[in-house]
Amino acid sequence: LASPRRKLGELAVETGRAARALGHSVGTRAPISRFDVPSSPLRRLGTISRPLEELHSIKAFHGTTINDVVLAVSAAGMRTFLLRHGDPAARLKAMVPVSVRAAAAASELGNRISFMFLDLPCDEPDPVRRLRAINRASMERKQSGEPQGADMVLKVVAHAPRSLQHATARLVASPRTFNVVVSNIPGPTEPLYMHGCRLTEAYPVVPLAERHSVSIGMTTTAGRACFGLYADRKALPDVDLLATDIEAAIDELLAVSRPPAAATPNGSQAEPDMGIRG
């Protein structure tokens, strides 16, 4: 009441963000794929553990984020997996959890998680173009305030009648809304111990919604990037192959994320130092 113009302006901004979030979530349908099949109660966890420095070097070389790198290698791994099974390498739609916790509330307990939806360019064979496409899309979503808009939608739904809450939950979790969840979960920066034993690996388990056969999570601990691929064992019995494909995608990006070798004075490439001395 004291500043109606300012409040109405804020409401217009929040409404615009919410509309964009809804448009990218339920406004565009996810393609049908082998990752969207009837669910069973059986589960299996595929794992990958790589030095976190590898992901940082890819991020730094291409000027992206760790989250972009995780999305890019996930897209590349799923591309290879689809092609191996004789399926077209079509774009898939990912639901990406995003923290909306304010910096001032960093020490508070609990989560403040929203989400955004991104197309994974599984149809793009070039690893660098794939990474840059994901970086552009994620930057656009964040700059437009889509995660905050989705957070507003969730808050509104929380005060809606129970029947509307159930209908919204079914819609958001539908395989027509997204194909896969890809989640980057920052781990502890300090070493963790239990009875004197240091924690060296920790694999996330991202829950599966009905008719979703796999989710991809990555968390960090002890200088390692630990990927957990939580799969419906009946629908995706070869999830270990998908893990292998994602690991190969990390190697592929690493190969194009190193500066060229220094040239010798005569213009030829310097021989690598193999550590051998005469």
Side-chain angles (χ1 to χ4, degrees), residues 7-205:
K7 291 299 180 184
L8 287 173
E10 292 174 358
L11 179 60
V13 170
E14 291 298 323
T15 302
R17 290 174 174 174
R20 284 190 292 271
L22 287 173
H24 287 135
S25 57
V26 300
T28 58
R29 291 174 65 86
I32 297 173
S33 76
R34 67 171 47 248
F35 300 112
D36 318 310
V37 295
S39 301
S40 80
L42 306 175
R43 296 290 182 267
R44 185 171 181 174
L45 186 68
T47 61
I48 306 164
S49 176
R50 299 289 293 246
L52 180 58
E53 180 54 36
E54 291 182 346
L55 273 62
H56 276 291
S57 65
I58 295 171
K59 176 200 81 166
F61 187 84
H62 296 283
T64 64
T65 67
I66 290 290
N67 202 51
D68 294 335
V69 176
V70 172
L71 287 165
V73 298
S74 297
M78 298 179 90
R79 168 187 167 83
T80 303
F81 189 82
L82 288 170
L83 292 174
R84 178 189 291 112
H85 286 81
D87 296 343
R91 285 178 171 256
L92 299 178
K93 190 176 174 185
M95 183 172 81
V96 184
V98 179
S99 174
V100 291
R101 185 195 301 276
S107 61
E108 295 180 2
L109 297 177
N111 293 321
R112 280 292 310 279
I113 300 296
S114 183
F115 55 86
M116 63 182 182
F117 292 88
L118 289 173
D119 287 336
L120 297 181
C122 303
D123 56 339
E124 173 56 67
D126 184 87
V128 175
R129 286 200 293 263
R130 192 186 303 124
L131 175 60
R132 288 176 178 168
I134 287 173
N135 175 252
R136 285 194 301 271
S138 61
M139 288 292 291
E140 288 171 1
R141 297 286 196 275
K142 292 174 183 176
Q143 289 174 357
S144 67
E146 184 173 314
Q148 291 78 9
D151 186 49
M152 177 184 178
V153 172
L154 293 175
K155 289 176 179 177
V156 170
V157 171
H159 296 284
R162 188 63 59 88
S163 58
L164 180 58
Q165 290 182 16
H166 289 171
T168 303
R170 286 194 298 270
L171 180 62
V172 172
S174 166
R176 300 286 68 81
T177 302
F178 67 93
N179 301 104
V180 61
V181 176
V182 182
S183 183
N184 169 26
I185 309 147
T189 56
E190 298 296 327
L192 296 181
Y193 294 85
M194 178 176 286
H195 290 287
C197 298
R198 183 176 178 178
L199 175 67
T200 58
E201 298 178 3
Y203 296 99
V205 173

